[in-house]
Amino acid sequence: MKHLNISRLFDNKTFCKIFSIIGAIVIWSSVTLALKTDSQKTIRNIPIDFSVDGTAVAALGLSTFDHSDDVVSIKVSGNRGSLNSVSKDDFSVTLSVGRVTTAGKHTIHVDVSLKEQIGNLAIEDYSPKSIQVTFDKPASKTIPVSTDISNISAGADFMIDKGYPSVQEITVSGPESVVNTVSSCIAKVDTKKKDLKQSITFPAIPIVLYDENSNIVSNPNITLDKDSVDISVPVLKIKELPIAAHFINKPANFNDASFAYTLSATKIEVAGPAETIDTMSQIDIRYVDLKNAKPGDVVTLNVELPSGFINVSNISTVDVTVPSNNMQEKSFTVNQFKLIGTPENKKATLSTKRLNNVVLVGDRNIINNITAQDIVIEVDLSNITTNGTVTVPATITVPSQQGVFWAYGNYEVVIRIS
């Protein structure tokens, strides 16, 4: 009996053709059978679309916030070809919000569908079919930023002003019911620093929200346009300085050293940048206008400090008392005038021939020695630009005297300019 030699069969062209045809038919039948056979597949972590645009909920001004789930798993069936080609992006997962009419937490049905039909693919089941969703109106509120630097202290003879945030206010956004509970926001420096003698800045200090009862407001749906700030802490040097008053409308020959005015406060404690306060010898208050002051008058002046200084003593005003001891006032009729500063292309003619009731105030000995002939009325014409008859302020001078005295009141003369 002869043995069948398979390898020799493939040398036969007719056998090879028949074998190829039969093989192709078998492969085609296997693939077709596999593609037509239905099966199942579960696709997980398909995101839920929480948009409510175009719905009645949106018309009510509501939006979605908190929710119990944000993805679903979908079980689908179909032939293997369809199952192999489907992905998460082929599904539409939305909320059925038709029955929502009020803000608050609601149980919402989840709708699942294919965006486009894929072969004979069919949705068999999905989970979850409903979720808890909180609806509320979007809201925002602008709140000033406060700072807490209670962990910081200054060294001896120094003080801390306060903490200055890099942003003065923030905007809080989120569900209206939560935003409305926010009453304040505080950025607190937790780092402990003691005996500071120079200014310091703390970067990126977190902002914390609080309600009216000082409870922290924490909600994942709350957002801040700034969640941290830099806090600058000026450290100022404290120094006690004498107070000095200043006077205007006094004669050029006025003796300041002999003018014994008194102050309601002679010293003041202030704090300021060390490099500035170390150069200061007194605090100047301005001004007492002597043309409106008589002996014994009390003039109240504001204490104004340089920018960046703090009034530690909290003395905001000082009363200046014009000295009255051995002081006198006297009236004169004056007819001596002196025109100064007349423009080169102008001619000035005095229409006023004398001034009555010119009042001089000052040291008794000086006033008693002054006569009308000692008084000169100076008229400055340097600002005159037009022709005609004008009224010009006048200054009362006593060139022959020196000491504590001044002219009380306002004086004017009439001048013709041509």
Side-chain angles (χ1 to χ4, degrees):
M1 182 177 179
K2 294 183 179 180
H3 293 285
L4 180 64
N5 190 334
I6 295 176
S7 62
R8 293 183 62 186
L9 290 175
F10 283 95
D11 292 334
N12 187 298
K13 293 183 179 180
T14 301
F15 175 81
C16 288
K17 289 180 180 179
I18 295 171
F19 182 82
S20 299
I21 293 171
I22 293 172
I25 293 172
V26 170
I27 293 172
W28 175 81
S29 299
S30 299
V31 172
T32 302
L33 182 61
L35 292 175
K36 287 184 176 181
T37 300
D38 286 347
S39 185
Q40 290 186 336
K41 179 180 181 180
T42 299
I43 303 173
R44 306 181 189 281
N45 297 321
I46 304 173
I48 299 173
D49 181 4
F50 286 93
S51 172
V52 294
D53 292 343
T55 68
V57 168
L60 293 172
L62 300 175
S63 294
T64 59
F65 289 97
D66 285 327
H67 38 78
S68 57
D69 290 281
D70 55 8
V71 295
V72 298
S73 296
I74 301 176
K75 183 186 290 186
V76 292
S77 64
N79 59 50
R80 295 187 182 277
S82 298
L83 291 175
N84 290 336
S85 63
V86 71
S87 70
K88 293 189 292 185
D89 296 335
D90 294 317
F91 294 93
S92 173
V93 184
T94 59
L95 301 177
S96 180
V97 297
R99 295 184 179 181
V100 176
T101 58
T102 60
K105 184 176 288 187
H106 297 268
T107 300
I108 303 298
H109 182 74
V110 178
D111 291 330
V112 174
S113 63
L114 280 165
K115 295 178 181 177
E116 295 181 1
Q117 186 59 43
I118 301 174
N120 68 337
L121 203 66
I123 296 173
E124 297 294 335
D125 196 9
Y126 61 92
S127 177
K129 290 183 172 58
S130 63
I131 61 173
Q132 296 288 316
V133 181
T134 298
F135 294 84
D136 207 338
K137 291 183 179 180
S140 63
K141 179 190 292 187
T142 299
I143 303 175
V145 178
S146 300
T147 61
D148 182 347
I149 57 170
S150 55
N151 287 326
I152 313 302
S153 63
D157 298 326
F158 287 83
M159 70 170 288
I160 291 172
D161 179 5
K162 62 179 181 180
Y164 291 87
S166 56
V167 174
Q168 299 302 310
E169 59 186 21
I170 62 165
T171 299
V172 181
S173 302
E176 184 179 56
S177 60
V178 181
V179 170
N180 286 344
T181 66
V182 179
S183 177
S184 62
C185 69
I186 299 176
K188 180 177 181 179
V189 177
D190 289 326
T191 305
K192 295 184 183 295
K193 292 283 186 180
K194 296 185 179 297
D195 300 326
L196 291 175
K197 294 185 178 180
Q198 60 183 8
S199 301
I200 187 171
T201 297
F202 297 90
I205 303 301
I207 294 173
V208 180
L209 304 178
Y210 293 88
D211 63 17
E212 60 182 6
N213 297 317
S214 298
N215 298 314
I216 293 177
V217 178
S218 179
N219 187 288
N221 297 299
I222 287 288
T223 60
L224 311 179
D225 63 340
K226 297 282 185 182
D227 57 9
S228 67
V229 294
D230 298 340
I231 298 180
S232 298
V233 181
V235 179
L236 308 177
K237 188 174 183 179
I238 301 172
K239 188 176 183 179
E240 187 178 63
L241 293 169
I243 298 173
H246 288 262
F247 301 83
I248 58 173
N249 287 316
K250 58 185 179 180
N253 46 357
F254 186 86
N255 190 336
D256 291 277
S258 301
F259 191 50
Y261 65 88
T262 59
L263 301 172
S264 59
T266 59
K267 294 181 179 180
I268 184 172
E269 194 172 47
V270 298
E275 63 274 12
T276 303
I277 204 168
D278 283 342
T279 65
M280 298 174 63
S281 59
Q282 65 184 27
I283 295 295
D284 298 316
I285 56 174
R286 299 178 171 86
Y287 286 101
V288 176
D289 189 348
L290 286 180
K291 71 180 180 182
N292 297 321
K294 287 188 176 183
D297 284 355
V298 177
V299 181
T300 301
L301 298 179
N302 293 327
V303 176
E304 298 178 356
L305 299 179
S307 177
F309 275 61
I310 293 178
N311 190 330
V312 179
S313 298
N314 200 30
I315 298 174
S316 59
T317 60
V318 174
D319 293 334
V320 182
T321 301
V322 179
S324 59
N325 187 38
N326 199 39
M327 300 288 281
Q328 182 175 327
E329 64 178 271
K330 186 176 180 180
S331 296
F332 300 87
T333 297
V334 183
N335 57 14
Q336 295 188 91
F337 296 87
K338 181 180 180 180
L339 303 183
I340 60 176
T342 304
E344 292 183 1
N345 59 341
K346 302 289 184 182
K347 179 181 179 182
T349 304
L350 270 168
S351 296
T352 301
K353 303 305 180 183
R354 66 174 60 84
L355 285 180
N356 300 318
N357 297 318
V358 174
V359 178
L360 293 183
V361 178
D363 183 279
R364 185 184 304 276
N365 296 326
I366 296 175
I367 297 299
N368 286 336
N369 287 329
I370 294 176
T371 65
Q373 287 69 36
D374 297 321
I375 302 173
V376 178
I377 300 170
E378 290 187 354
V379 182
D380 186 356
L381 302 178
S382 58
N383 293 324
I384 297 297
T385 58
T386 60
N387 294 335
T389 300
V390 294
T391 300
V392 183
T395 301
I396 309 302
T397 66
V398 186
S400 62
Q401 295 291 333
Q402 183 172 351
V404 177
F405 71 95
W406 65 92
Y408 176 83
N410 296 303
Y411 302 94
E412 295 177 330
V413 297
V414 178
I415 301 288
R416 185 178 295 108
I417 305 297
S418 58

